[in-house]
Coordinates of all heavy atoms in Angstrom, one line a residue:
M1 N -0.7 13.7 8.5 CA -1.4 13.9 7.3 C -1.3 12.7 6.4 O -0.3 12.2 6.1 CB -1.0 15.1 6.5 CG -1.7 15.4 5.2 SD -1.1 16.7 4.4 CE -2.4 17.3 3.5
A2 N -2.4 12.2 5.9 CA -2.4 11.0 5.0 C -3.1 11.5 3.7 O -4.1 12.2 3.8 CB -3.2 9.9 5.6
I3 N -2.6 11.0 2.6 CA -3.1 11.3 1.3 C -3.4 9.9 0.6 O -2.5 9.0 0.5 CB -2.2 12.1 0.4 CG1 -1.8 13.4 1.0 CG2 -2.7 12.2 -1.0 CD1 -0.6 14.1 0.5
V4 N -4.6 9.6 0.1 CA -5.0 8.3 -0.4 C -5.4 8.5 -1.8 O -6.1 9.4 -2.2 CB -6.1 7.8 0.4 CG1 -6.5 6.4 -0.2 CG2 -5.8 7.6 1.8
N5 N -4.8 7.7 -2.7 CA -5.1 7.6 -4.1 C -5.5 6.2 -4.6 O -5.0 5.3 -4.0 CB -3.9 8.1 -4.9 CG -3.6 9.5 -4.7 OD1 -4.5 10.5 -4.7 ND2 -2.3 9.8 -4.4
S6 N -6.3 6.1 -5.6 CA -6.6 4.9 -6.2 C -6.4 5.1 -7.7 O -6.8 6.0 -8.3 CB -7.9 4.4 -5.8 OG -8.2 3.1 -6.5
Y7 N -5.8 4.0 -8.4 CA -5.5 4.1 -9.8 C -6.1 2.9 -10.5 O -5.8 1.7 -10.0 CB -4.1 4.2 -10.0 CG -3.6 4.1 -11.5 CD1 -3.9 5.0 -12.4 CD2 -2.9 2.9 -11.8 CE1 -3.4 4.8 -13.7 CE2 -2.5 2.8 -13.1 CZ -2.6 3.7 -14.0 OH -2.3 3.5 -15.3
K8 N -6.7 3.0 -11.5 CA -7.2 1.8 -12.3 C -6.8 2.1 -13.8 O -7.5 2.9 -14.4 CB -8.7 1.5 -12.2 CG -9.2 0.3 -13.0 CD -10.7 0.2 -12.9 CE -11.0 -1.0 -13.8 NZ -12.4 -1.3 -13.9
P9 N -5.9 1.4 -14.4 CA -5.4 1.6 -15.7 C -6.6 1.1 -16.6 O -7.3 0.2 -16.3 CB -4.1 0.8 -15.8 CG -4.2 -0.2 -14.8 CD -5.0 0.4 -13.6
S10 N -6.6 1.6 -17.8 CA -7.6 1.1 -18.8 C -7.2 -0.4 -19.2 O -6.1 -0.7 -19.2 CB -7.6 1.9 -20.0 OG -6.3 1.9 -20.6
T11 N -8.2 -1.1 -19.5 CA -7.9 -2.5 -19.9 C -8.3 -2.8 -21.3 O -9.2 -2.1 -21.8 CB -8.8 -3.5 -19.1 OG1 -10.1 -3.1 -19.2 CG2 -8.4 -3.4 -17.5
G12 N -7.5 -3.6 -22.0 CA -7.8 -3.9 -23.4 C -8.6 -5.1 -23.5 O -9.1 -5.7 -22.5
G13 N -8.9 -5.4 -24.7 CA -9.7 -6.6 -25.0 C -8.9 -7.9 -24.7 O -7.8 -7.8 -24.3
G14 N -9.5 -8.9 -24.9 CA -8.7 -10.1 -24.7 C -9.5 -11.3 -24.3 O -10.8 -11.2 -24.4
G15 N -8.9 -12.4 -24.0 CA -9.6 -13.6 -23.8 C -9.8 -13.9 -22.3 O -9.5 -15.1 -21.9
G16 N -10.5 -13.1 -21.6 CA -11.0 -13.4 -20.3 C -9.8 -13.4 -19.2 O -8.8 -12.8 -19.5
G17 N -10.0 -13.9 -18.1 CA -9.1 -13.9 -17.1 C -9.2 -12.7 -16.2 O -10.2 -12.0 -16.3
I18 N -8.2 -12.4 -15.5 CA -8.1 -11.1 -14.7 C -7.9 -9.9 -15.6 O -6.9 -9.9 -16.4 CB -6.9 -11.2 -13.7 CG1 -7.2 -12.4 -12.7 CG2 -6.9 -9.9 -13.0 CD1 -6.0 -12.7 -12.0
T19 N -8.8 -9.0 -15.6 CA -8.7 -7.9 -16.6 C -8.5 -6.5 -15.9 O -8.4 -5.5 -16.5 CB -10.0 -7.8 -17.4 OG1 -11.1 -7.6 -16.6 CG2 -10.2 -9.0 -18.2
S20 N -8.6 -6.5 -14.6 CA -8.3 -5.2 -13.8 C -7.3 -5.3 -12.9 O -7.0 -6.3 -12.3 CB -9.8 -5.0 -13.1 OG -10.7 -4.7 -14.0
F21 N -6.6 -4.2 -12.7 CA -5.5 -4.1 -11.8 C -5.6 -2.8 -11.0 O -6.0 -1.7 -11.6 CB -4.3 -4.0 -12.6 CG -2.9 -4.1 -11.8 CD1 -2.4 -5.2 -11.4 CD2 -2.3 -2.9 -11.5 CE1 -1.3 -5.4 -10.6 CE2 -1.1 -3.0 -10.8 CZ -0.6 -4.2 -10.4
A22 N -5.4 -2.8 -9.7 CA -5.5 -1.6 -8.9 C -4.3 -1.2 -8.2 O -3.4 -2.1 -7.9 CB -6.6 -1.8 -7.8
Q23 N -4.1 0.1 -8.0 CA -2.9 0.5 -7.2 C -3.5 1.6 -6.2 O -4.0 2.7 -6.6 CB -1.9 1.2 -8.2 CG -0.8 1.9 -7.4 CD 0.3 2.3 -8.4 OE1 0.9 1.6 -9.1 NE2 0.5 3.7 -8.3
D24 N -3.3 1.2 -4.9 CA -3.8 2.2 -3.9 C -2.6 2.7 -3.2 O -1.6 2.0 -2.9 CB -4.7 1.5 -3.0 CG -6.0 0.9 -3.6 OD1 -6.5 1.6 -4.5 OD2 -6.3 -0.2 -3.4
T25 N -2.6 4.0 -2.8 CA -1.5 4.5 -2.0 C -2.0 5.4 -0.8 O -3.1 5.9 -0.9 CB -0.6 5.4 -2.9 OG1 -1.4 6.5 -3.5 CG2 -0.1 4.7 -4.1
V26 N -1.1 5.5 0.1 CA -1.3 6.4 1.2 C 0.2 7.0 1.5 O 1.0 6.3 1.5 CB -1.9 5.8 2.4 CG1 -1.0 4.6 3.0 CG2 -2.3 6.8 3.5
S27 N 0.2 8.3 1.8 CA 1.4 9.1 2.1 C 1.4 9.5 3.5 O 0.3 10.0 4.0 CB 1.6 10.2 1.1 OG 1.6 9.8 -0.3
R28 N 2.6 9.6 4.1 CA 2.7 10.1 5.4 C 3.8 11.2 5.3 O 4.9 11.0 4.8 CB 3.1 9.0 6.4 CG 2.0 8.1 6.8 CD 0.9 8.7 7.4 NE 1.1 9.4 8.6 CZ 0.7 9.0 9.8 NH1 0.0 7.9 9.9 NH2 1.0 9.6 10.9
T29 N 3.5 12.3 5.9 CA 4.5 13.4 5.9 C 5.0 13.8 7.3 O 5.8 14.7 7.5 CB 3.9 14.7 5.4 OG1 2.7 15.0 6.1 CG2 3.5 14.5 3.9
T30 N 4.5 13.0 8.3 CA 5.1 13.2 9.6 C 5.4 11.8 10.2 O 5.1 10.8 9.7 CB 4.0 13.9 10.5 OG1 2.8 13.2 10.6 CG2 3.7 15.3 10.0
A31 N 6.2 11.9 11.4 CA 6.6 10.6 11.9 C 5.4 9.7 12.4 O 4.3 10.1 12.5 CB 7.4 11.0 13.2
Y32 N 5.7 8.4 12.3 CA 4.6 7.4 12.6 C 5.3 6.2 13.3 O 6.5 6.0 13.1 CB 3.9 7.0 11.4 CG 4.8 6.5 10.2 CD1 5.1 5.2 10.2 CD2 5.3 7.3 9.2 CE1 5.9 4.7 9.1 CE2 6.0 6.9 8.2 CZ 6.5 5.6 8.2 OH 7.2 5.1 7.2
A33 N 4.5 5.5 14.1 CA 4.9 4.3 14.8 C 4.4 3.0 14.1 O 3.5 3.1 13.2 CB 4.4 4.3 16.2
S34 N 4.9 1.9 14.4 CA 4.4 0.6 13.9 C 3.0 0.5 14.1 O 2.6 0.7 15.3 CB 5.3 -0.6 14.5 OG 4.8 -1.7 14.1
G35 N 2.2 0.1 13.1 CA 0.8 -0.1 13.3 C 0.0 1.2 13.2 O -1.3 1.1 13.2
A36 N 0.6 2.3 13.0 CA -0.2 3.6 12.9 C -0.6 4.0 11.6 O -1.5 4.8 11.4 CB 0.7 4.7 13.5
V37 N 0.0 3.3 10.5 CA -0.5 3.5 9.2 C -1.2 2.5 8.5 O -0.9 1.3 8.6 CB 0.8 3.8 8.2 CG1 0.4 4.1 6.8 CG2 1.7 5.0 8.8
T38 N -2.4 2.8 8.1 CA -3.3 1.8 7.4 C -3.6 2.2 6.0 O -3.6 3.5 5.8 CB -4.6 1.5 8.2 OG1 -5.3 2.8 8.3 CG2 -4.3 1.0 9.6
L39 N -3.9 1.3 5.2 CA -4.5 1.5 3.8 C -5.6 0.8 3.6 O -5.5 -0.6 3.7 CB -3.2 1.2 2.9 CG -3.5 1.4 1.4 CD1 -4.0 2.6 0.9 CD2 -2.2 0.9 0.5
T40 N -6.7 1.2 3.1 CA -7.8 0.5 2.9 C -7.9 0.3 1.3 O -7.9 1.3 0.5 CB -9.2 1.2 3.2 OG1 -9.1 1.4 4.7 CG2 -10.4 0.4 2.9
L41 N -7.9 -1.0 0.8 CA -7.9 -1.2 -0.5 C -9.2 -0.8 -1.2 O -10.3 -1.0 -0.6 CB -7.7 -2.7 -0.8 CG -6.4 -3.3 -0.2 CD1 -6.3 -4.8 -0.4 CD2 -5.1 -2.6 -0.8
S42 N -9.2 -0.3 -2.4 CA -10.4 0.0 -3.1 C -11.2 -1.1 -3.8 O -12.4 -1.0 -4.1 CB -10.0 1.1 -4.2 OG -9.1 0.5 -5.2
Q43 N -10.5 -2.3 -3.9 CA -11.1 -3.4 -4.5 C -10.8 -4.6 -3.7 O -9.8 -4.6 -2.9 CB -10.6 -3.6 -5.9 CG -10.9 -2.4 -6.9 CD -12.3 -2.2 -7.1 OE1 -13.2 -3.1 -7.1 NE2 -12.7 -1.0 -7.3
T44 N -11.4 -5.7 -3.9 CA -11.0 -7.0 -3.2 C -10.0 -7.7 -4.1 O -10.3 -8.0 -5.3 CB -12.2 -8.0 -3.1 OG1 -13.2 -7.2 -2.3 CG2 -11.9 -9.3 -2.4
P45 N -8.8 -8.0 -3.6 CA -7.8 -8.7 -4.5 C -8.3 -10.0 -4.9 O -8.9 -10.7 -4.2 CB -6.6 -8.8 -3.5 CG -6.9 -7.8 -2.4 CD -8.3 -7.6 -2.3
F46 N -7.8 -10.3 -6.1 CA -8.1 -11.8 -6.6 C -7.5 -12.8 -5.8 O -8.1 -13.9 -5.5 CB -7.6 -11.8 -8.1 CG -7.8 -13.1 -8.7 CD1 -9.0 -13.5 -9.2 CD2 -6.7 -14.0 -8.9 CE1 -9.2 -14.7 -9.8 CE2 -6.9 -15.2 -9.5 CZ -8.1 -15.7 -9.9
S47 N -6.2 -12.5 -5.3 CA -5.6 -13.4 -4.4 C -4.6 -12.6 -3.6 O -3.9 -11.7 -4.1 CB -4.8 -14.5 -5.2 OG -3.9 -15.1 -4.5
L48 N -4.3 -13.0 -2.4 CA -3.2 -12.3 -1.6 C -1.9 -12.6 -2.3 O -0.9 -11.8 -2.0 CB -3.3 -12.7 -0.1 CG -4.4 -12.2 0.6 CD1 -4.3 -12.6 2.0 CD2 -4.5 -10.7 0.6
N49 N -1.7 -13.7 -3.0 CA -0.5 -14.0 -3.6 C -0.1 -12.9 -4.7 O 1.1 -12.9 -5.0 CB -0.5 -15.4 -4.2 CG -0.5 -16.5 -3.2 OD1 -0.1 -16.3 -2.2 ND2 -1.3 -17.6 -3.6
G50 N -1.1 -12.3 -5.2 CA -0.8 -11.3 -6.2 C -0.7 -9.9 -5.6 O -0.5 -8.9 -6.5
L51 N -0.8 -9.7 -4.4 CA -0.8 -8.4 -3.7 C 0.7 -8.0 -3.5 O 1.4 -8.7 -2.8 CB -1.5 -8.5 -2.4 CG -1.7 -7.2 -1.6 CD1 -2.4 -6.1 -2.3 CD2 -2.4 -7.5 -0.3
I52 N 1.1 -7.0 -4.0 CA 2.4 -6.4 -3.9 C 2.3 -5.1 -3.1 O 1.7 -4.1 -3.5 CB 3.1 -6.1 -5.2 CG1 3.3 -7.4 -6.0 CG2 4.5 -5.4 -5.0 CD1 3.6 -7.2 -7.5
V53 N 3.0 -5.1 -2.0 CA 2.9 -4.0 -1.0 C 4.4 -3.4 -0.9 O 5.3 -4.1 -0.7 CB 2.4 -4.4 0.4 CG1 2.4 -3.2 1.3 CG2 1.0 -5.0 0.2
N54 N 4.5 -2.1 -1.0 CA 5.8 -1.5 -0.9 C 5.8 -0.1 -0.2 O 4.7 0.4 -0.1 CB 6.5 -1.4 -2.3 CG 5.9 -0.3 -3.2 OD1 5.9 0.8 -2.9 ND2 5.3 -0.8 -4.3
L55 N 7.0 0.3 0.3 CA 7.2 1.6 0.9 C 8.3 2.2 0.1 O 9.4 1.7 0.1 CB 7.6 1.4 2.4 CG 8.2 2.6 3.1 CD1 7.1 3.8 3.1 CD2 8.5 2.2 4.6
N56 N 7.9 3.3 -0.5 CA 8.9 4.1 -1.3 C 9.6 3.3 -2.3 O 10.8 3.3 -2.6 CB 9.9 4.8 -0.4 CG 9.3 5.8 0.5 OD1 8.3 6.4 0.2 ND2 10.0 6.0 1.6
G57 N 8.9 2.2 -2.9 CA 9.4 1.4 -3.9 C 10.1 0.1 -3.4 O 10.4 -0.8 -4.2
Q58 N 10.3 0.0 -2.1 CA 10.9 -1.2 -1.5 C 9.8 -2.1 -1.2 O 8.9 -1.8 -0.3 CB 11.6 -0.8 -0.2 CG 12.2 -1.9 0.6 CD 13.5 -2.4 -0.1 OE1 14.2 -1.8 -0.6 NE2 13.6 -3.8 0.0
I59 N 9.9 -3.4 -1.7 CA 8.8 -4.3 -1.5 C 8.8 -4.8 0.0 O 9.9 -5.0 0.5 CB 8.9 -5.6 -2.4 CG1 8.7 -5.1 -3.9 CG2 8.0 -6.7 -1.9 CD1 8.8 -6.1 -4.9
L60 N 7.7 -4.8 0.6 CA 7.5 -5.2 2.0 C 7.0 -6.6 2.1 O 6.3 -7.2 1.3 CB 6.5 -4.2 2.7 CG 6.9 -2.8 2.7 CD1 5.8 -2.0 3.4 CD2 8.2 -2.6 3.4
K61 N 7.4 -7.4 3.2 CA 7.0 -8.7 3.4 C 5.8 -8.9 4.3 O 5.8 -8.3 5.4 CB 8.2 -9.5 4.0 CG 8.0 -11.0 4.2 CD 9.3 -11.6 4.7 CE 8.9 -13.1 5.0 NZ 10.2 -13.8 5.5
Q62 N 4.8 -9.7 3.8 CA 3.6 -9.8 4.6 C 4.0 -10.6 5.9 O 4.9 -11.4 6.0 CB 2.6 -10.8 3.8 CG 1.3 -10.8 4.5 CD 0.2 -11.7 3.8 OE1 0.5 -12.2 2.8 NE2 -1.0 -11.7 4.3
T63 N 3.3 -10.2 7.0 CA 3.4 -10.6 8.4 C 4.6 -10.1 9.0 O 4.6 -9.8 10.3 CB 3.4 -12.2 8.6 OG1 4.6 -12.8 8.0 CG2 2.2 -12.9 8.0
T64 N 5.6 -9.7 8.3 CA 6.8 -9.0 9.0 C 6.7 -7.6 8.9 O 6.9 -6.8 9.9 CB 8.1 -9.4 8.2 OG1 8.3 -10.8 8.2 CG2 9.4 -8.8 8.8
D65 N 6.3 -7.0 7.7 CA 6.2 -5.6 7.5 C 4.7 -5.1 7.4 O 4.5 -3.9 7.6 CB 6.9 -5.2 6.3 CG 8.4 -5.6 6.2 OD1 9.0 -5.4 7.3 OD2 8.9 -5.9 5.2
W66 N 3.8 -5.9 7.1 CA 2.3 -5.5 7.0 C 1.5 -6.7 7.2 O 1.9 -7.9 7.1 CB 2.1 -4.9 5.7 CG 2.4 -5.8 4.5 CD1 3.5 -6.0 3.8 CD2 1.3 -6.6 3.8 NE1 3.4 -6.8 2.8 CE2 2.0 -7.2 2.7 CE3 0.1 -6.9 3.9 CZ2 1.5 -8.1 1.9 CZ3 -0.6 -7.8 3.1 CH2 0.1 -8.4 2.0
T67 N 0.3 -6.5 7.7 CA -0.8 -7.5 7.8 C -2.1 -7.0 7.1 O -2.1 -5.8 6.8 CB -1.1 -7.7 9.3 OG1 -1.6 -6.5 9.9 CG2 0.1 -8.3 10.0
I68 N -2.9 -7.9 6.9 CA -4.2 -7.6 6.2 C -5.4 -8.2 6.9 O -5.3 -9.3 7.3 CB -4.3 -7.8 4.6 CG1 -5.4 -7.3 4.0 CG2 -4.1 -9.3 4.5 CD1 -5.4 -7.3 2.5
A69 N -6.4 -7.4 7.1 CA -7.7 -7.8 7.7 C -8.8 -7.3 6.9 O -9.0 -6.1 6.8 CB -7.8 -7.5 9.1
G70 N -9.6 -8.1 6.2 CA -10.6 -7.7 5.1 C -9.9 -6.9 4.0 O -9.0 -7.4 3.5
L71 N -10.2 -5.6 3.9 CA -9.6 -4.7 2.8 C -8.6 -3.7 3.5 O -8.0 -2.9 2.7 CB -10.7 -3.9 2.1 CG -11.6 -4.8 1.3 CD1 -12.6 -3.9 0.6 CD2 -10.9 -5.6 0.2
V72 N -8.3 -3.9 4.8 CA -7.4 -2.9 5.5 C -6.0 -3.5 5.7 O -5.8 -4.5 6.3 CB -8.0 -2.5 6.8 CG1 -7.0 -1.5 7.5 CG2 -9.3 -1.9 6.6
I73 N -5.0 -2.9 5.1 CA -3.6 -3.3 5.3 C -3.1 -2.4 6.5 O -3.2 -1.2 6.5 CB -2.7 -3.0 4.1 CG1 -3.2 -4.0 3.0 CG2 -1.2 -3.2 4.5 CD1 -2.4 -3.7 1.6
T74 N -2.5 -3.0 7.5 CA -1.8 -2.3 8.6 C -0.3 -2.5 8.4 O 0.2 -3.7 8.3 CB -2.3 -2.8 9.9 OG1 -3.7 -2.6 10.1 CG2 -1.6 -2.0 11.1
F75 N 0.5 -1.4 8.5 CA 1.9 -1.4 8.2 C 2.6 -1.5 9.6 O 2.3 -0.9 10.5 CB 2.4 -0.2 7.5 CG 1.8 -0.2 6.0 CD1 0.7 0.5 5.8 CD2 2.5 -0.9 5.0 CE1 0.1 0.5 4.4 CE2 2.0 -0.9 3.7 CZ 0.8 -0.2 3.5
L76 N 3.5 -2.5 9.7 CA 4.3 -2.7 10.8 C 5.7 -2.1 10.9 O 6.5 -2.5 11.7 CB 4.4 -4.3 11.0 CG 3.0 -5.0 11.1 CD1 3.2 -6.6 11.2 CD2 2.1 -4.5 12.1
V77 N 5.9 -1.2 10.0 CA 7.0 -0.4 10.0 C 6.9 0.9 10.6 O 5.8 1.4 10.7 CB 7.6 -0.2 8.5 CG1 7.9 -1.6 7.9 CG2 6.5 0.4 7.6
E78 N 8.0 1.6 11.0 CA 7.9 2.9 11.6 C 8.9 3.8 11.1 O 10.0 3.5 10.5 CB 8.0 2.8 13.1 CG 9.4 2.3 13.6 CD 9.4 2.0 15.1 OE1 8.4 1.8 15.7 OE2 10.5 2.2 15.6
N79 N 8.7 5.1 11.2 CA 9.7 6.1 10.9 C 9.5 7.2 11.9 O 8.8 8.2 11.5 CB 9.5 6.6 9.4 CG 10.6 7.5 9.0 OD1 11.4 8.1 9.8 ND2 10.8 7.8 7.7
P80 N 10.2 7.1 13.0 CA 10.0 8.2 14.0 C 10.6 9.5 13.7 O 10.6 10.5 14.5 CB 10.7 7.6 15.2 CG 11.6 6.7 14.7 CD 11.0 6.1 13.4
Y81 N 11.6 9.5 12.6 CA 12.3 10.7 12.3 C 11.7 11.6 11.2 O 12.3 12.7 10.8 CB 13.8 10.3 11.9 CG 14.3 9.4 13.0 CD1 14.5 8.1 12.8 CD2 14.6 10.0 14.2 CE1 15.0 7.2 13.8 CE2 15.2 9.2 15.3 CZ 15.3 7.8 15.0 OH 15.8 7.0 16.0
L82 N 10.6 11.1 10.5 CA 10.1 11.8 9.4 C 9.5 13.2 9.8 O 8.8 13.3 10.8 CB 9.0 11.0 8.7 CG 8.4 11.5 7.4 CD1 9.4 11.5 6.2 CD2 7.2 10.7 7.1
T83 N 9.8 14.2 9.0 CA 9.3 15.5 9.3 C 8.7 16.2 8.0 O 8.9 15.6 6.9 CB 10.4 16.6 9.8 OG1 11.3 16.8 8.7 CG2 11.3 16.0 11.0
V84 N 8.0 17.2 8.1 CA 7.3 17.8 7.0 C 8.4 18.4 5.9 O 7.9 18.6 4.8 CB 6.4 18.9 7.4 CG1 5.1 18.3 8.2 CG2 7.0 19.9 8.2
S85 N 9.5 18.5 6.4 CA 10.5 19.0 5.4 C 11.2 17.8 4.5 O 11.9 18.1 3.7 CB 11.6 19.8 6.1 OG 12.3 18.9 7.0
D86 N 10.9 16.6 5.0 CA 11.4 15.4 4.1 C 10.4 15.1 3.1 O 9.2 15.6 3.1 CB 11.5 14.2 5.2 CG 12.5 14.4 6.2 OD1 13.6 15.0 6.0 OD2 12.2 13.9 7.3
L87 N 10.8 14.3 2.1 CA 9.9 13.7 1.1 C 9.0 12.8 1.9 O 9.4 12.1 2.8 CB 10.7 13.0 0.1 CG 11.5 13.9 -0.9 CD1 12.3 12.9 -1.8 CD2 10.6 14.8 -1.7
P88 N 7.7 12.8 1.4 CA 6.8 11.9 2.2 C 7.1 10.4 2.0 O 7.7 10.0 1.0 CB 5.4 12.2 1.7 CG 5.7 12.7 0.3 CD 7.0 13.5 0.4
D89 N 6.8 9.5 3.0 CA 6.8 8.1 2.9 C 5.6 7.7 2.1 O 4.5 8.1 2.4 CB 6.9 7.4 4.2 CG 8.4 7.4 4.7 OD1 9.3 7.8 4.0 OD2 8.5 6.9 5.8
V90 N 5.8 6.9 1.0 CA 4.6 6.5 0.2 C 4.5 5.0 0.3 O 5.3 4.3 -0.2 CB 4.8 7.0 -1.2 CG1 3.6 6.5 -2.1 CG2 4.9 8.5 -1.3
F91 N 3.3 4.6 0.9 CA 2.9 3.2 0.9 C 2.0 2.9 -0.3 O 1.0 3.5 -0.5 CB 2.1 2.9 2.2 CG 3.0 3.2 3.5 CD1 3.0 4.4 4.0 CD2 3.7 2.2 4.0 CE1 3.7 4.7 5.1 CE2 4.4 2.3 5.2 CZ 4.4 3.7 5.8
T92 N 2.3 1.8 -1.0 CA 1.6 1.4 -2.1 C 1.2 -0.1 -2.1 O 2.0 -0.9 -1.8 CB 2.4 1.7 -3.5 OG1 2.8 3.1 -3.4 CG2 1.6 1.4 -4.7
A93 N -0.1 -0.4 -2.6 CA -0.5 -1.8 -2.8 C -0.9 -1.9 -4.2 O -1.8 -1.1 -4.7 CB -1.6 -2.1 -1.8
Q94 N -0.3 -2.9 -4.9 CA -0.8 -3.2 -6.3 C -1.2 -4.6 -6.4 O -0.7 -5.5 -5.8 CB 0.5 -3.0 -7.2 CG 1.0 -1.6 -7.1 CD 2.5 -1.5 -7.8 OE1 3.2 -2.5 -7.7 NE2 2.7 -0.5 -8.6
Y95 N -2.4 -4.7 -7.1 CA -3.0 -6.2 -7.1 C -4.0 -6.2 -8.3 O -4.6 -5.3 -8.7 CB -3.7 -6.4 -5.8 CG -4.6 -5.3 -5.4 CD1 -6.0 -5.4 -5.6 CD2 -4.3 -4.2 -4.7 CE1 -6.9 -4.5 -5.3 CE2 -5.1 -3.2 -4.4 CZ -6.5 -3.3 -4.7 OH -7.4 -2.4 -4.3
P96 N -4.1 -7.5 -8.7 CA -5.3 -7.8 -9.6 C -6.6 -8.0 -8.9 O -6.5 -8.5 -7.7 CB -4.8 -9.1 -10.4 CG -3.9 -9.7 -9.5 CD -3.3 -8.6 -8.6
Y97 N -7.6 -7.7 -9.5 CA -8.9 -8.0 -8.8 C -10.0 -8.3 -9.9 O -9.8 -8.2 -11.1 CB -9.4 -6.8 -8.0 CG -9.8 -5.6 -8.8 CD1 -11.1 -5.3 -9.2 CD2 -8.9 -4.6 -9.2 CE1 -11.5 -4.2 -9.9 CE2 -9.3 -3.4 -9.9 CZ -10.6 -3.3 -10.2 OH -10.8 -2.2 -11.0

């Protein structure tokens, strides 16, 4: 089971630049293998350098823990022991756009 959320905080006034920030999440409640979890971003990131990707709050490293093609992040981590009685694993991507 996957649960997907997108969050856009309100933005204040100001002098231009990047004014929007997105947070997209997907949760897994059952075991998964490397490459089996994907997250489609709701917006196009301003830059991949500003893209922060984490699993349960632990920052993941690009190319080692995740890859991106277009707007789709594929996670290269696995949790073969996750069961529905555990807390879900939550994958999050935060980025300016």
Side-chain angles (χ1 to χ4, degrees):
M1 173 182 212
I3 303 166
V4 179
N5 296 310
S6 181
Y7 167 74
K8 180 181 176 186
S10 61
T11 56
I18 301 168
T19 59
S20 298
F21 188 81
Q23 176 174 301
D24 301 316
T25 62
V26 62
S27 298
R28 289 300 297 249
T29 57
T30 56
Y32 54 89
S34 175
V37 178
T38 60
L39 171 61
T40 301
L41 302 178
S42 60
Q43 304 292 329
T44 301
F46 178 73
S47 165
L48 289 182
N49 292 331
L51 184 59
I52 299 170
V53 178
N54 70 67
L55 168 57
N56 298 332
Q58 176 75 36
I59 294 178
L60 301 177
K61 183 177 178 184
Q62 186 177 6
T63 68
T64 302
D65 300 322
W66 60 274
T67 60
I68 188 166
L71 294 178
V72 179
I73 295 174
T74 300
F75 294 94
L76 305 176
V77 295
E78 62 182 30
N79 186 346
Y81 307 108
L82 187 66
T83 68
V84 292
S85 62
D86 296 325
L87 291 174
D89 279 355
V90 179
F91 298 86
T92 305
Q94 301 167 318
Y95 54 97
Y97 68 94

